Amino acid sequence: MMDGVGEKTQVSKQNPGERVKNFREVSLGYSADEVLREASRCLSCSNPSCMEGCPVRVDIPGFIKHIKEKDFDKAADRLRESNIFPAVCGRVCPQESQCEIYCVLNKMGAEPVSVGGLERFVGDWLIKNRVDESPSPPLSTSGGVAVIGSGPAGLSCAAELIKNGYSVVVFESLHEPGGVLRYGIPEFRLPKSVVDSEIDYLKRLGVEFRLNVLVGRTVSFSDLRRDFDAIFIGSGAGLPYFLGLPGENLNGVYSANEFLTRVNLMKAYLFPEYDTPVRVGSKVAVVGGGNVAMDSARAALRLGAGEVHVVYRRSGGELPARQEEVVNARGEGVVFDYLTNPVEFLGDGEGNVSGLRCVRMELGEPDSSGRRSPVPVKGSDFVLDFDTVIIAVGQGPNPLLPSTIPDLEVSDRGNVKAGRDGRTSLERVYAGGDIVTGAATVISAMAAGKRAAQSIHEDLKT
Amino acid sequence: MNEILSRERVHSEAVLLEVRSPLIAQSYQPGQFIILRIHERGERIPLTVADVNVEAGSISLIFQEVGKSTKELASFEVGDELLDLLGPLGNPSKIREYGTVVCVGGGIGVAPIYPIARALADKGNCVVSILGARCDELLFWRERMDELSDSFYVTTDDGSCGRAGFVTDQLRDLIDGGLKVDRVIAIGPLVMMSAVSGLTKEYGIETVVSLNPIMVDGTGMCGSCRVTVNGETRFACVDGPEFNAHEVDFDELFHRHGFYLRQEELSLKRYLEACGK
Ligand SMILES: Cc1cc2nc3c(=O)[nH]c(=O)nc-3n(C[C@H](O)[C@H](O)[C@H](O)COP(=O)(O)OP(=O)(O)OC[C@H]3O[C@@H](n4cnc5c(N)ncnc54)[C@H](O)[C@@H]3O)c2cc1C
Ligand SMILES: Cc1cc2nc3c(=O)[nH]c(=O)nc-3n(C[C@H](O)[C@H](O)[C@H](O)COP(=O)(O)OP(=O)(O)OC[C@H]3O[C@@H](n4cnc5c(N)ncnc54)[C@H](O)[C@@H]3O)c2cc1C
Ligand code: SF4
Ligand code: SF4
Ligand code: FES
């Protein structure tokens, strides 16, 4: 351990026994003292390697320097220059594979600076201390842009455009804006009040939101092309994948999207105060190993499931989920069944799921992703009893919108083809985020939205 | 937004609301539905568009009061607003020149079948309509349907109007009587659609049903609405709601419909108590 930098300042959390009984945020965030202590660990590198890992290139030493000076106002301004959603990103970015992994402290045998923890503090400070902030929206003289989808990609595109003087209308099919931030990531990880506040800032900047509009049905894509100078498509990867196994439509088998949408967007955890129900039984299986699986498993625990298993076909080292959430899930008592793959859903004869027939897996040769690919062990079938199964094996692009745009080029998997600059095969039509890359991360979607906004600006000003 | 322009009691268990929604009225085609939410704590409920008035910028919804949400919606009055209204959703009904089309509407299913029957008639098809209900009092839009149909039949379970029996009895008689049927479209309770499907399968008559599984988003995002059609999983909200009846796994749909029964009962009980009923 290197002298001087000391140990990473641990962030306080609700204790596991308590937090599994509520939907309040697990992490309590740094106090003002803690944030100063953690900030003091940063070496203010003149050639900061941490920034390379951040898709939007947050000026990490810059904002941390302002924290050290206790000037949170300046820290906030510095953050917002590159990231309009610091309170969201501080909470949900996989820092261990983005910014923090590149922190120079790693090389010195110390733990990296908690960039996420510091960012979250400043984001929260902003929300609390600048409620009345009313930025004067720039005069919109440059033209009008339609943004389809109000997830991170669409919102960051909208923010960048409005700052450049465009009038921006965001179309969203759901009744609330935010995309996955709203319907996917649960309250105990990302409070909806935080999402509201950060979106509110965009509204104050002058971004107009039209909710309950499904582009392709309520209004057509050609209507938008007629009415706007440019269009950004940020419709995400909302189509849930299923396993395609017998018995998958039995009662009690949910897609993670349905389960989480009921819980988060529709607030089913407050049923019957809220009208939308959700059901978990006494023994729940979640199939998958990413963030979506962790969120589903932990939500199920909080809804009163007796036992929750994550059924994952690879081993613990390959879990794609954000590290902190795996640790939290374990702490809360989620059981991990590794190297286990379902082959059939079993029913109780009355239409309800009663278990999973699984096979054992072993790790073979590395696949294209570099991870060792799991192969089934012959004759290793066994049965696990479950009364609820949540499938979290990934999402694809929803074909609805692209299918209404005749000349738009899409990949075999249905993703809209767009360059790094967001340009698509159609003139003045741009795309970014999960609809282009497939399911990725919040901040990479935001980076894509921002780059597309810059292309739009280049193309429209000429 | 989404203001209620007129309200009418259709029968003792159903209400018609005309709601302002110029965008939906303009884009709507027969066979499509909307999803609405009545207030902040409300669930998203799907209802078929029964009629539109493009000039007035309004759509008409007819719904049966079956549970908490529909009972609460029935208490809304002219001038009230629905918090959220999304649509039109689903694929439009395929309106072609088929020849003779039998339109079977059971119970509340008369509302969604009406615009489809009208479009089929406008297209030059010979439209034969069969409306069914438990009793006379629960029949509605008889004149409207009669007017657009080349021939028109009514059945009631108790014989209080038209023929005593089920819509399938009438349909079988027509077919056995020599009516050459090119296509059947049936909308109503699951049992009815399933029975019609069974019947026309015997005769090899192409049949379409409009399915109503439990939905959440209505945009293909959640998979709550999945149904098995021809052995494959389809999402009713984006792949349907109309499907080839002979390929639908009705048993599975029955089961899936009942998944939230206990919660639905609890919700309704609480609501009725709060209303002092
Ligand atoms: C449960 C869950 C947990 C996750 N956890 C993390 C995490 O911890 N960290 C992280 O970095 N990433 C996480 N991710 C991934 C991350 O949320 C996504 O990569 C990111 O949200 C993608 O942003 P987007 O703007 O491209 O799309 P989305 O967030 O999917 O937003 C797309 C929006 O477009 C709307 N839309 C779609 N079609 C239409 C249309 N035709 N008309 C109008 N509106 C339309 C949708 O309703 C939606 O609101 C998670 C994802 C899920 C599902
Ligand atoms: C595409 C589509 C179109 C529809 N169009 C109409 C319409 O035009 N008019 C109309 O009256 N109803 C229609 N429905 C059904 C309507 O959505 C439900 O009746 C309503 O959601 C019930 O809500 P609730 O809270 O009042 O009752 P709940 O308490 O949710 O349910 C009460 C009873 O209704 C049954 N039920 C629940 N959900 C549905 C459903 N999706 N479909 C059928 N029965 C259900 C339950 O099994 C239960 O027996 C449609 C459904 C779909 C999916
Ligand atoms: S936005 Fe995300 S990746 Fe970038 S610095 Fe902040 S936490 Fe790290
Ligand atoms: S690399 Fe680490 S120590 Fe250096 S500036 Fe970035 S966060 Fe600070
Ligand atoms: S209702 Fe969600 S996919 Fe159909």
Side-chain angles (χ1 to χ4, degrees), chain A residues 175 212 217-218 238 240 248-249 251 253-255 257-258 262 271 273-276 279 350 398 400, chain B residues 27 37 41-44 68 84 87-88 91 219 221-222 224 226 228 233 238 252 255-256 259-260 263:
Chain A
H175 57 259
N212 293 311
R217 288 267 196 253
T218 313
E248 200 157 23
N249 296 343
N251 274 341
V253 181
Y254 282 101
S255 77
N257 270 8
E258 178 187 353
R262 284 180 179 271
F271 179 86
E273 294 303 322
Y274 279 67
D275 292 341
T276 306
R279 278 181 61 182
E350 287 169 28
N398 189 329
L400 194 140
Chain B
S27 318
R37 209 165 65 112
R41 279 164 289 110
E43 58 184 338
R44 294 170 66 97
K68 196 252 173 181
D84 296 301
N91 296 306
T219 67
M221 187 266 270
C222 77
S224 161
R226 59 199 196 273
T228 301
T233 293
V238 286
E252 180 183 280
H255 282 300
R256 289 184 65 81
F259 187 54
Y260 292 106
Q263 285 77 3

Side-chain angles (χ1 to χ4, degrees), chain B residues 35-143:
Chain B
I35 283 188
L36 63 82
R37 209 165 65 112
I38 48 183
H39 52 55
E40 199 45 51
R41 279 164 289 110
E43 58 184 338
R44 294 170 66 97
I45 62 170
L47 295 174
T48 311
V49 178
D51 207 356
V52 295
N53 184 334
V54 180
E55 282 94 70
S58 69
I59 62 172
S60 295
L61 309 168
I62 296 188
F63 59 94
Q64 183 129 20
E65 297 169 63
V66 290
K68 196 252 173 181
S69 298
T70 45
K71 286 212 191 293
E72 195 170 0
L73 182 59
S75 73
F76 274 49
E77 287 165 16
V78 172
D80 290 347
E81 292 179 359
L82 306 176
L83 180 60
D84 296 301
L85 181 61
L86 168 71
L89 301 172
N91 296 306
S93 193
K94 287 197 190 77
I95 306 296
R96 307 215 174 105
E97 290 169 56
Y98 297 106
T100 300
V101 184
V102 180
C103 296
V104 186
I108 203 75
V110 173
I113 208 133
Y114 164 72
I116 297 172
R118 189 177 52 189
L120 286 167
D122 288 347
K123 194 87 190 167
N125 289 285
C126 168
V127 173
V128 178
S129 299
I130 307 175
L131 305 193
R134 267 176 288 144
C135 60
D136 180 47
E137 200 269 324
L138 301 179
L139 281 162
F140 63 96
W141 280 13
R142 248 175 293 189
E143 295 73 28

